[in-house]
Amino acid sequence: MRPSPWLPWVVVGAVWLTLAIASGLYFSFPVFFVALLDEFGWSRGATAAAFSISSVIQGVLSPVVGMLVDRLGPRRVMLGGAAVLGIACVLASRIGSLWSLYAVIGVLAAVGLCAVSWVPSGTLIARWFAERRGSVLGIAFSGMGAGVLAMGPLAQWLIGVYGWRAAYASLGVGTLAVLLPLIWFGVRDAPVTIAVAAGPASRGADPPPARRDVGDALHTTAFWALFFAYLCTPLAVFSVVTHSVAFAVDHGFARLFVAGIFGLTGLLSVVGRIVFGMAADRIGRAASATISYGCTAFGTLCLLSLEIAPHAAALYAYALFFGLGFGARGPIITAMASQIFPGRRFGVIYGILSVGNGIGGGVAPWFGGFVHDLTGSYRVAFLIAVAFCGIGSACFWLARPPRRA
């Protein structure tokens, strides 16, 4: 018996809200970053290392989460991840040293986010939808941008009124109260018949022969091209986004205003994920990814221009262009991977691909802080991030599946 035709879209809505809350909470760290620097006086490199550790942990755990998704189904994995993420945020209110920051934010919160975010959500949507996969993934993953839009200013307001400890505790309790019932009632694993049908690429997509074995996938150029695309994306983004609030505050802008700009990047990210997801289905995924990288690079240069002329217009331009590109590559990579490597082992393959994202995300936040501690400026780190936009774009073109004659 086939499920109701509206059920897949209920799942998309539940995933959208789940990613909004989970990712908004995760990417609120740049706001807490400034508060932590003020209270403890740690170096920026050492403090940002918590975000780096988090990305590494997510990368290391992604294949494990992928295996659990294939065995238990995305819903059960997401329920466990939501519980761990909420508990981690409550415990974050008790941070008193660098090691506790690394343990709670770097490890525990990373475990929760990894089990509720990219791998289970991407696998779930790929199994429900055989057609227009790029567009649907763009819609579902746009929740991440909405979360940044809401959570950044909310976190800053809570910090300003009640302090960062109460802010973390409140957000953690709210996460548990909302995410657990949302996933329990709203997320449904795809029936076997639909999941199998969604394995091959959609009609008219000219898919290559199916590679169901993980070992076969690891011996393809497309796999490693996508792996390095996933590696380059956080290298192009995280050194900027982690330090953007501190960078703007350093140049004389009010914290609440900068938190609003940070939230605005989230709003534009909602638009960007949807637009670039639809563009991937129309003009090609590599072309869509390249344009999104161009937006990221230009937005980064707009932010860096504050060193020359600290005007609010540069911040708004940064929010516009960086926001449009922020997170746009994730849905495209997921759509490409599910087309090239269809089958029931997609969760594991996608998890291994996500190791690249974890490595890049592990290096970038720490590197941005290290460069600032060493030189007193973010200039070198931001320019290197722009360079990785070009490298990442090239990886997408190398990963394109061959077209049948």
Side-chain angles (χ1 to χ4, degrees), residues 28 52 74 77 134 252 330 380:
S28 66
S52 295
V77 175
V380 173

Side-chain angles (χ1 to χ4, degrees), residues 90-105:
V90 173
L91 292 177
S93 66
R94 309 306 302 167
I95 287 172
S97 61
L98 273 175
W99 76 261
S100 60
L101 174 68
Y102 296 160
V104 175
I105 299 299

Side-chain angles (χ1 to χ4, degrees), residues 176-214:
L176 291 171
V178 176
L179 275 192
L180 291 177
L182 173 64
I183 297 171
W184 181 270
F185 292 107
V187 172
R188 288 291 180 271
D189 294 336
V192 175
T193 53
I194 293 180
V196 172
S202 59
R203 292 191 300 270
D206 295 324
R211 302 182 181 95
R212 299 183 182 277
D213 185 76
V214 176

Side-chain angles (χ1 to χ4, degrees), residues 343-382:
R344 295 296 295 173
R345 303 301 306 279
F346 174 66
V348 178
I349 294 173
Y350 188 39
I352 299 173
L353 282 174
S354 298
V355 173
N357 188 63
I359 295 172
V363 172
W366 167 82
F367 179 72
F370 172 76
V371 168
H372 184 277
D373 292 338
L374 190 65
T375 67
S377 169
Y378 288 110
R379 187 182 308 119
V380 173
F382 287 3

Side-chain angles (χ1 to χ4, degrees), residues 113-193:
L113 183 68
C114 186
V116 80
S117 189
W118 291 102
V119 176
S121 298
T123 304
L124 181 69
I125 298 300
R127 288 177 179 174
W128 271 109
F129 291 87
E131 299 182 358
R132 305 187 310 277
R133 196 172 282 163
S135 299
V136 177
L137 284 165
I139 293 171
F141 286 179
S142 70
M144 294 180 174
V148 174
L149 168 65
M151 206 68 75
L154 174 61
Q156 183 60 62
W157 180 80
L158 288 171
I159 291 170
V161 177
Y162 301 106
W164 67 268
R165 294 185 184 276
Y168 258 137
S170 300
L171 293 174
V173 171
T175 297
L176 291 171
V178 176
L179 275 192
L180 291 177
L182 173 64
I183 297 171
W184 181 270
F185 292 107
V187 172
R188 288 291 180 271
D189 294 336
V192 175
T193 53

